[in-house]
Amino acid sequence: MSKKIIRFSKGFLACTIISTVLILSGVYALVTRGLNLGIEFKAGLIEDVSIAPAALELTYTGPANVTVKASSIGLTLVVSGVGAENTTHEIPYVKYRTVGEVADVLNRVDGVTAVVRSSPSESAVGIFGDSEASSLLGAAPYRLHYIGENTRNYTVDEVRAALSSMKDVSVKMVGDEKENLFQIRAGDDGSDSEASKKIQASIAAALTDTFGADNFAVIKTDFIGSQFSSSLIVQSVLLVAATLLLIWLYSTIRFRWDFALGAVLAIMHDALIMVAFVAWTGLEMNSTMIAAILTIIGYSINDTVVVLDRVRENIKTVKVAKFTEVLDISQTEILGRTVITTVTTLLAVAALYIFTSGAMKEFALALIVGMVSGVYSTIMIAGAFIALVRRNWKPSDEEKKVQPGVLNA
């Protein structure tokens, strides 16, 4: 019994109009509303912050200059200055294993006072300083922090909640969760030359209010200039364009030029639909969203290539008078595979959307939109373009050789 053919070609014109309207509405949203650019594409700062209690507080009273440096293997105390005996004190953790032992050595240096803020028996391995605090000791306490076995583990959500009063701030965990190390990104509109310092102060104040001044340390701070952030936007656009070009070259080699161009138009359609969705919903356009667009481009071209491969086979095996009939037959034959593949993938993505939060939830939502658009564009957009190009198609002598037992329209 012959299989019932779905006449997708009858909807080509209507779907093309609908897609054009959706894409134009996205262009309108870009012009009037703009994209909610993530801080990767804005000037601002990036801070690596460790939520960790203080292990030691160091002060110094005397005429010399005393600096302290913490590393993974120990502490180094350098005494220098006019009238002082220039000395370097090495305190390796392999020899002085606990915080209490390290404090005892520090207290032997003239003018240096080390106060233990943690348990004296806590392991000294892992002691680190605050990069924002001056390592030149003086009357104000210089804190050394640590991550120990009994240190509480904090979550990204707790740090985000602490910074919730600030705008254009994102937080992610860096490294193992036991390290309590978080990367904080904050945008800067560039309207004030002192804006970055104000943002740093605001972050420090917010973390102090939530965790206490003794319980966090800034490990590293990097600033992103407006020129660098603009270059990231250009690089992202070039990345997507290069991906489309490579896909077009691959499709041209494997199929014919019209098939290749139809495939590229389909994935361009998916990318533009996703951008329109992001523009209208106000989702943040960040590196995660760029990854979602590239993921959908790869997903969509895979689906489109399968359909085009079946079209290429059916041109030689199906006796028809119009090319739209070849498209309808091929798309009907592949429809079951397309639906099953998409639904099973959507189940996993839907689980991500339901059970995650933050950037991952937005990533999953963008994938859902892109997957639905990918199935639609494979059938209706790529098909519509190829049908338009081959509207006057007549089977060649080679294509007229119908193999026995094939499906007839």
Side-chain angles (χ1 to χ4, degrees):
M1 183 174 69
S2 62
K3 185 176 181 180
K4 180 177 176 60
I5 305 303
I6 302 174
R7 300 300 177 184
F8 293 104
S9 57
K10 292 183 178 180
F12 283 169
L13 179 59
C15 289
T16 301
I17 294 173
I18 292 172
S19 292
T20 302
V21 171
L22 290 175
I23 291 171
L24 289 177
S25 73
V27 174
Y28 174 79
L30 288 175
V31 173
T32 58
R33 297 161 58 96
L35 286 174
N36 178 22
L37 293 176
I39 54 178
E40 295 96 329
F41 303 115
K42 294 180 180 179
L45 64 85
I46 303 174
E47 276 193 351
D48 288 351
V49 177
S50 180
I51 309 300
L56 295 166
E57 276 190 359
L58 308 182
T59 56
Y60 174 73
T61 54
N65 294 322
V66 180
T67 58
V68 62
K69 179 181 179 182
S71 68
S72 59
I73 60 175
L75 293 180
T76 302
L77 206 67
V78 178
V79 181
S80 61
V82 178
E85 184 178 345
N86 295 334
T87 56
T88 299
H89 302 271
E90 298 287 349
I91 309 175
Y93 298 142
V94 293
K95 184 176 181 180
Y96 305 99
R97 298 178 179 276
T98 67
V99 173
E101 291 176 356
V102 171
D104 289 339
V105 177
L106 289 170
N107 282 321
R108 296 172 196 166
V109 180
D110 290 341
V112 175
T113 300
V115 178
V116 177
R117 294 295 305 275
S118 65
S119 171
S121 60
E122 193 74 48
S123 173
V125 176
I127 289 178
F128 55 90
D130 189 329
S131 67
E132 293 301 306
S134 173
S135 61
L136 181 64
L137 300 184
Y142 175 80
R143 298 183 184 91
L144 290 169
H145 300 258
Y146 77 108
I147 296 290
E149 292 182 358
N150 299 320
T151 303
R152 180 193 164 189
N153 293 327
Y154 292 90
T155 66
V156 173
D157 289 336
E158 288 179 283
V159 180
R160 285 182 183 141
L163 301 171
S164 60
S165 61
M166 299 180 62
K167 296 180 179 179
D168 281 343
V169 172
S170 68
V171 181
K172 70 177 181 180
M173 181 171 284
V174 181
D176 189 88
E177 62 180 8
K178 293 182 180 179
E179 296 177 5
N180 278 350
L181 184 60
F182 303 90
Q183 186 176 87
I184 300 172
R185 292 171 173 257
D188 174 9
D189 59 11
S191 60
D192 187 350
S193 60
E194 298 295 317
S196 295
K197 293 182 179 179
K198 292 178 181 178
I199 292 172
Q200 283 182 281
S202 298
I203 291 174
L207 295 177
T208 298
D209 290 342
T210 302
F211 304 109
D214 300 346
N215 292 324
F216 74 91
V218 178
I219 307 301
K220 182 178 67 174
T221 302
D222 293 320
F223 295 92
I224 302 175
S226 57
Q227 183 176 1
F228 179 72
S229 60
S230 299
S231 69
L232 284 178
I233 297 176
V234 174
Q235 289 173 8
S236 298
V237 173
L238 291 177
L239 177 62
V240 175
T243 302
L244 292 174
L245 177 61
L246 291 174
I247 289 174
W248 177 77
L249 289 173
Y250 162 76
S251 302
T252 301
I253 294 171
R254 180 165 180 175
F255 304 105
R256 299 184 181 181
W257 73 268
D258 52 345
F259 281 29
L261 191 52
V264 170
L265 287 175
I267 57 180
M268 286 180 62
H269 166 275
D270 298 335
L272 291 173
I273 289 294
M274 291 180 71
V275 171
F277 177 76
V278 170
W280 279 114
T281 57
L283 293 176
E284 190 176 89
M285 178 59 77
N286 50 27
S287 56
T288 302
M289 202 60 65
I290 296 296
I293 292 174
L294 292 174
T295 300
I296 290 303
I297 287 176
Y299 183 89
S300 180
I301 191 60
N302 176 68
D303 198 24
T304 304
V305 163
V306 171
V307 173
L308 295 182
D309 199 49
R310 182 57 62 91
V311 172
R312 183 176 59 179
E313 292 177 3
N314 284 342
I315 288 175
K316 299 178 180 180
T317 60
V318 179
K319 187 177 182 180
V320 293
K322 295 182 179 179
F323 194 79
T324 52
E325 296 180 77
V326 179
L327 288 172
D328 290 337
I329 293 170
S330 303
Q331 291 167 344
T332 300
E333 291 173 344
I334 296 298
L335 184 62
R337 172 207 174 273
T338 300
V339 170
I340 292 173
T341 302
T342 303
V343 169
T344 52
T345 308
L346 276 174
L347 289 175
V349 177
L352 277 178
Y353 177 74
I354 295 170
F355 297 110
T356 61
S357 60
M360 186 58 68
K361 191 180 187 74
E362 293 183 356
F363 175 75
L365 180 58
L367 286 183
I368 291 172
V369 173
M371 286 180 180
V372 174
S373 175
V375 174
Y376 163 80
S377 66
T378 294
I379 298 173
M380 307 309 295
I381 303 303
F385 175 79
I386 298 171
L388 177 64
V389 173
R390 299 202 174 199
R391 60 189 179 277
N392 298 320
W393 172 83
K394 297 294 181 184
S396 64
D397 292 338
E398 179 68 23
E399 293 167 348
K400 287 178 181 180
K401 297 178 181 179
V402 181
Q403 297 179 7
V406 298
L407 178 68
N408 283 317

